[in-house]
Amino acid sequence: MTDSKRLWWKDGVIYQIYPRSFQDTNNDGIGDLPGIISRLDYLQQLGIDGIWLSPINPSPDRDFGYDVADYNAIDPKYGTMADFEELLDQAHKRKLHIILDLVLNHTSDQHPWFIESKKSKDNPYHDWYMWRDPKPDGSQPNNWESLFGGGGWVYDRQLNQYYFHMFAPQQPDLNWRNPAVRAAMLDVFRFWLDKGVDGFRLDVFNEYYKHPDYLDLPKRKGFYPRKFEQLEHIYDVSQPEMYPLVRDIRKILDSYPDRYVVGETYLADPAHARTYIGSDRLHAGFDFRYLHSKWGAASFGRAIQYWDALHGEEAWPNYVLNNHDTVRSTTRYKADEADKKTRLLAAMHFTVRGTPYMYYGEEIGMRDITLLPTELQDPVGKRYWPFNKGRDGCRSPMQWDASAFAGFSARKPWIKVHPNYPKRNVAAQVEDPASLLNFYRELIALRRASPALSRGKIDLLPLYNQNLLVYQRAAKHEKLLVVLNFGSKPEQYPLPILENGRWGLIFAGNLPEKSQINGATLHLPAFGFGILKKQV
Ligand code: GLC
């Protein structure tokens, strides 16, 4: 495939950076934009096409950037607008695209709109948020809850009203039914598009609209310890007004060349998430069944089959194994130190039909850190520890080298570095031809060079046994077979018969123990895999 025909968000790989934790250059212990710029060559060599930045707008960090105090500015802790323009420019020079995270369901309680909105009921900004009167007995307006716990409503004595927040109390939800809010938000898209940003990730976007009558949510059947899960979320999420809105967002994006928007659906199953994707809607949405899959061929196979079938020919899936809200896949699946299981997952992740997303440090096999209760930073962990330890574990500093603080910063970072950094770091892995990092590079390069892998259709073959996940990928002049052994024992797989041609093994990884073809059988070591190509 020539580069000119490539569609970056479709054929390429997207890499998520959590800016606080990627690279610090001013030694305040927090990552910054100049730090990201200094690592663009590294990212280019990895072979990715797009970078999704978790929020970089000014934020009091009650939810680390997901509480925005100004949509059209850069938080000084990350740098200046000039730094951001430099990042865009330097990224574009390397054919890397920049995706910004837009958090438009709620603002920070420090946003000037909310500060105004609290002043009085007749303030022009009052109706920008979800203010409601108490019930006659003074209690909260309805039974809605916050996902982060502690009730969904906060009482304001001066106004004698409550405001609603789906997340932390410092993240008041906006009233998207107010046309001024809708218009202001669409202007946020235009502002960043005009700067040259390539795309957006929409945070919990199907949460923007709530039912206009604020009806009580019905109770769910079954036992759930948390109040939030005890409710059927039919009025506080996924309201029909979202469809015209995604169409309007898409129209704005389509008025600029090659732009992209991906949405994070909230409390929605894959079939519902799919309804927001299409040529007049979002380009893509996230699927969390794959990310939440248990280890095993059948479980991953089902998630892929379902998500792929939902997309069909008309849309393009994407896949995520790691992000800033989830325990890293290495920790989740109890990865071995030789990274055999991690390589197997990657072999699947980069060969399914769809855009692979990666999360910083995934390529060197970073693990979650373990925090003491006093070290917790995430509001979720602070509230629910030890039942839910929060999301700090996957947000530790990027491990660049074996120097103090892993080369992330010259001083103590905002969150601790994983103690395995002296061994597990970029500098060490660059040098080692058999490292996980070099495995990722080879795999991404293979995907890039192969029309079947980057664009072709996928056919999952019937489950041969509980351990083997097998699928074919095919483009016009290329047919591939991918065989993945999720088992801890060697396996044999009889290769499908080809009428004209034979299967040749084109990739089995960079560890000494590899899969091999013997006659018409593929022999796979424990957690081994093979990518085979039809040869004529
Ligand atoms: C999304 C983000 C998460 C954040 C929440 C509220 O789920 O991924 O990090 O806490 O929205 O903005």
Side-chain angles (χ1 to χ4, degrees):
M1 206 175 332
T2 60
D3 253 25
S4 61
K5 282 206 226 129
R6 277 177 71 80
L7 195 49
W8 67 273
W9 59 265
K10 187 169 180 181
D11 303 308
V13 174
I14 296 174
Y15 185 99
Q16 182 189 355
I17 289 180
Y18 197 66
R20 274 185 94 75
S21 299
F22 198 61
Q23 176 71 68
D24 179 19
T25 56
N26 63 350
N27 295 325
D28 60 356
I30 297 174
D32 46 47
L33 297 179
I36 298 174
I37 296 171
S38 73
R39 297 296 185 179
L40 288 175
D41 286 338
Y42 166 78
L43 295 172
Q44 189 185 24
Q45 281 155 21
L46 186 58
I48 60 152
D49 297 72
I51 300 170
W52 151 24
L53 298 175
S54 278
I56 51 174
N57 305 115
S59 166
D61 289 329
R62 302 308 289 250
D63 189 18
F64 297 109
Y66 288 87
D67 47 327
V68 173
D70 182 352
Y71 288 101
N72 295 352
I74 302 293
D75 193 307
K77 67 181 163 281
Y78 294 132
T80 60
M81 190 58 89
D83 291 328
F84 180 70
E85 284 161 1
E86 174 73 5
L87 169 63
L88 265 183
D89 192 41
Q90 292 294 331
H92 288 164
K93 282 198 177 119
R94 293 166 177 83
K95 295 210 171 89
L96 299 173
H97 299 79
I98 299 289
I99 299 172
L100 290 188
D101 208 325
L102 291 187
V103 188
L104 310 181
N105 172 66
H106 43 267
T107 68
S108 156
D109 63 351
Q110 301 304 309
H111 195 297
W113 299 340
F114 189 69
I115 293 172
E116 285 298 308
S117 135
K118 270 178 89 155
K119 284 186 178 160
S120 71
K121 288 185 194 166
D122 48 23
N123 185 290
Y125 287 95
H126 184 65
D127 185 47
W128 281 46
Y129 292 85
M130 300 180 61
W131 290 101
R132 309 301 290 171
D133 290 338
K135 282 190 179 156
D137 67 358
S139 62
Q140 61 180 45
N142 65 19
N143 68 349
W144 295 4
E145 282 289 320
S146 151
L147 176 77
F148 285 1
W153 295 94
V154 172
Y155 181 66
D156 184 279
R157 192 183 296 267
Q158 192 201 320
L159 295 176
N160 186 29
Q161 281 192 316
Y162 287 86
Y163 72 85
F164 178 70
H165 61 94
M166 178 54 92
F167 298 94
Q170 299 86 1
Q171 292 168 295
D173 281 41
L174 282 153
N175 174 19
W176 272 80
R177 291 184 183 276
N178 181 333
V181 169
R182 198 182 193 272
M185 288 315 193
L186 294 182
D187 280 345
V188 172
F189 285 87
R190 293 189 191 95
F191 176 84
W192 292 106
L193 287 166
D194 286 340
K195 287 232 170 271
V197 159
D198 302 284
F200 302 102
R201 177 254 186 197
L202 303 184
D203 188 70
V204 297
F205 74 91
N206 60 319
E207 159 73 11
Y208 297 172
Y209 285 92
K210 280 85 174 170
H211 195 284
D213 298 334
Y214 290 78
L215 303 172
D216 272 344
L217 298 173
K219 292 250 166 16
R220 241 171 118 191
K221 291 207 179 75
F223 173 74
Y224 302 95
R226 283 190 349 128
K227 278 194 179 155
F228 188 83
E229 276 86 33
Q230 290 164 7
L231 299 168
E232 204 75 75
H233 293 275
I234 56 173
Y235 300 130
D236 53 350
V237 68
S238 300
Q239 299 299 296
E241 289 79 1
M242 209 48 226
Y243 295 100
L245 176 66
V246 290
R247 289 197 184 94
D248 285 353
I249 291 173
R250 181 61 179 263
K251 274 188 216 137
I252 295 175
L253 267 100
D254 282 351
S255 65
Y256 296 76
D258 274 348
R259 301 306 211 267
Y260 167 71
V261 55
V262 57
E264 181 203 26
T265 36
Y266 174 65
L267 300 177
D269 64 19
H272 182 72
R274 172 67 178 91
T275 65
Y276 298 107
I277 304 167
S279 55
D280 62 346
R281 302 163 194 211
L282 307 183
H283 295 83
F286 292 120
D287 171 33
F288 296 121
R289 275 204 190 174
Y290 173 84
L291 174 127
H292 292 140
S293 169
K294 56 181 205 219
W295 182 264
S299 170
F300 276 113
R302 264 197 306 274
I304 295 166
Q305 179 99 63
Y306 187 39
W307 191 229
D308 193 75
L310 282 173
H311 284 75
E313 292 286 297
E314 303 79 41
W316 190 249
N318 65 29
Y319 288 93
V320 185
L321 281 171
N322 290 289
N323 65 26
H324 65 292
D325 290 330
T326 317
V327 173
R328 284 182 183 269
S329 53
T330 45
T331 304
R332 227 162 57 223
Y333 298 119
K334 303 190 172 49
D336 50 295
E337 275 308 307
D339 296 320
K340 286 186 188 168
K341 289 170 85 173
T342 312
R343 283 168 218 248
L344 177 76
L345 271 189
M348 170 180 72
H349 196 57
F350 291 97
T351 61
V352 283
R353 181 185 84 116
T355 310
Y357 271 70
M358 301 173 56
Y359 182 57
Y360 79 97
E362 182 174 327
E363 69 278 21
I364 55 167
M366 276 173 59
R367 269 67 169 157
D368 269 36
I369 48 169
T370 310
L371 294 106
L372 300 171
T374 49
E375 293 171 327
L376 296 174
Q377 309 247 13
D378 177 24
V380 177
K382 283 184 179 168
R383 180 164 193 98
Y384 290 112
W385 201 90
F387 305 105
N388 177 340
K389 293 186 176 150
R391 302 164 295 176
D392 294 316
C394 65
R395 298 175 178 178
S396 65
M398 178 70 176
Q399 296 165 208
W400 293 107
D401 57 43
S403 66
F405 309 119
F408 164 74
S409 175
R411 58 149 274 191
K412 195 168 174 239
W414 73 281
I415 193 165
K416 69 186 179 193
V417 182
H418 196 288
N420 71 6
Y421 83 87
K423 276 179 78 181
R424 192 174 284 283
N425 62 61
V426 169
Q429 294 202 19
V430 165
E431 297 301 318
D432 174 7
S435 69
L436 185 64
L437 175 60
N438 281 316
F439 174 82
Y440 264 75
R441 286 179 174 171
E442 286 163 28
L443 193 54
I444 294 172
L446 178 75
R447 186 181 187 281
R448 191 183 192 102
S450 157
L453 287 183
S454 41
R455 274 268 170 114
K457 66 181 184 101
I458 187 166
D459 282 310
L460 280 100
L461 301 191
L463 214 57
Y464 174 71
N465 69 26
Q466 283 308 307
N467 290 331
L468 295 184
L469 177 62
V470 185
Y471 44 88
Q472 291 190 347
R473 299 291 314 274
K476 220 171 178 186
H477 301 294
E478 197 185 32
K479 187 169 183 159
L480 301 182
L481 182 75
V482 181
V483 187
L484 305 154
N485 178 13
F486 282 83
S488 56
K489 296 202 177 77
E491 288 283 351
Q492 295 185 12
Y493 181 68
L495 294 171
I497 293 164
L498 289 171
E499 283 188 5
N500 49 356
R502 59 180 185 83
W503 291 112
L505 191 60
I506 57 167
F507 190 67
N510 59 0
L511 283 176
E513 213 191 348
K514 290 187 177 57
S515 300
Q516 283 173 19
I517 299 178
N518 197 343
T521 304
L522 180 69
H523 293 254
L524 302 113
F527 305 121
F529 62 89
I531 303 175
L532 295 82
K533 184 170 172 169
K534 179 184 169 184
Q535 308 190 329
V536 280

